Amino acid sequence: MKTNKVVKSILMVAVCFSTFLAKAQEASVEETTYGIQTGLLGIWAHREEKLTNQIALREEIGFDGGFWSGSFYPKNGFLLTPVITLEPRWYYNLNKRVRKGRNIDGNSGNYLSLKTSYHPNWFVISNYDNVEIADQISFVPTWGIRRNVGKHFTYETGIGIGYQYIFAKSVGYQKNEGQTTVNLNLRLGYRF
């Protein structure tokens, strides 16, 4: 009789523990998610791949944009230049969102990341001829949020301050240069 009580107690604890684990597993980033996004200054395609339940690696390729004007130029200018980004993201509030009954599909949550971007001097799309940029790399710790609207649409915003290194010698300047840079984004997207 005592053995049956012990077995029943063990089974009850196992069922409770497995229920807890099942709920804990719900609060996880997706294995892989793909999408495209656009913002005021560019267009990007991305993929996020699960590393742990709360960490995903975002791989992104696209075009960053810029504008300029002034009395020195006969007309306002714009450019689009290629960018490649690797960004580990820690989605730190997934468990809280699940507890409150909020959606975490498509990695919908708040995150901290280290956005690492490389702008190669491959080509530039511009309304001016012979525009080029120097190769540059940046490392920007970023805080952001990502949310879904319906099943496929997303919006995302983020802010961060970091470091940018410009390989200016590659385009004829005397020395390379490091400087502070800002990541301020607001993007709308479509998730596949």
Side-chain angles (χ1 to χ4, degrees):
M1 287 261 193
K2 240 182 183 182
T3 308
N4 282 345
K5 279 187 174 184
V6 171
V7 171
K8 285 180 183 178
S9 296
I10 291 172
L11 286 174
M12 183 184 268
V13 169
V15 168
C16 289
F17 187 69
S18 65
T19 302
F20 172 76
L21 284 178
K23 291 209 182 280
Q25 289 175 352
E26 288 177 25
S28 176
V29 296
E30 294 198 10
E31 288 293 328
T32 306
T33 184
Y34 300 88
I36 57 171
Q37 292 180 319
T38 188
L40 181 62
L41 297 174
I43 186 166
W44 309 270
H46 65 86
R47 173 182 136 177
E48 284 189 27
E49 191 170 334
K50 178 180 177 176
L51 299 178
T52 70
N53 280 351
Q54 293 184 337
I55 299 174
L57 179 63
R58 181 182 179 100
E59 302 146 347
E60 181 177 272
I61 188 164
F63 292 97
D64 281 349
F67 295 97
W68 68 89
S69 66
S71 58
F72 181 73
Y73 299 101
K75 60 184 176 182
N76 293 338
F78 76 89
L79 64 80
L80 288 173
T81 185
V83 62
I84 301 166
T85 301
L86 284 177
E87 182 180 10
R89 287 184 171 186
W90 172 43
Y91 289 92
Y92 61 87
N93 73 332
L94 297 179
N95 289 322
K96 182 179 178 181
R97 288 182 61 79
V98 168
R99 277 194 310 272
K100 291 186 172 187
R102 295 189 179 143
N103 185 2
I104 62 168
D105 291 347
N107 300 345
S108 183
N110 298 6
Y111 64 86
L112 293 172
S113 72
L114 179 60
K115 184 174 184 176
T116 305
S117 298
Y118 174 61
H119 290 88
N121 185 15
W122 292 340
F123 62 90
V124 174
I125 300 169
S126 178
N127 61 331
Y128 275 84
D129 293 332
N130 302 320
V131 174
E132 67 178 335
I133 65 157
D135 290 346
Q136 43 195 282
I137 190 165
S138 62
F139 306 94
V140 184
T142 299
W143 173 84
I145 64 169
R146 180 176 181 171
R147 297 293 188 268
N148 292 315
V149 179
K151 187 172 179 158
H152 295 285
F153 294 97
T154 64
Y155 67 91
E156 189 171 311
T157 186
I159 186 167
I161 297 174
Y163 179 77
Q164 178 179 38
Y165 190 79
I166 302 168
F167 299 91
K169 287 182 180 179
S170 67
V171 290
Y173 289 90
Q174 289 187 354
K175 64 179 186 170
N176 295 329
E177 183 178 314
Q179 62 188 22
T180 301
T181 188
V182 174
N183 174 26
L184 181 61
N185 69 51
L186 177 60
R187 296 179 175 188
L188 302 173
Y190 183 85
R191 185 170 63 95
F192 299 105

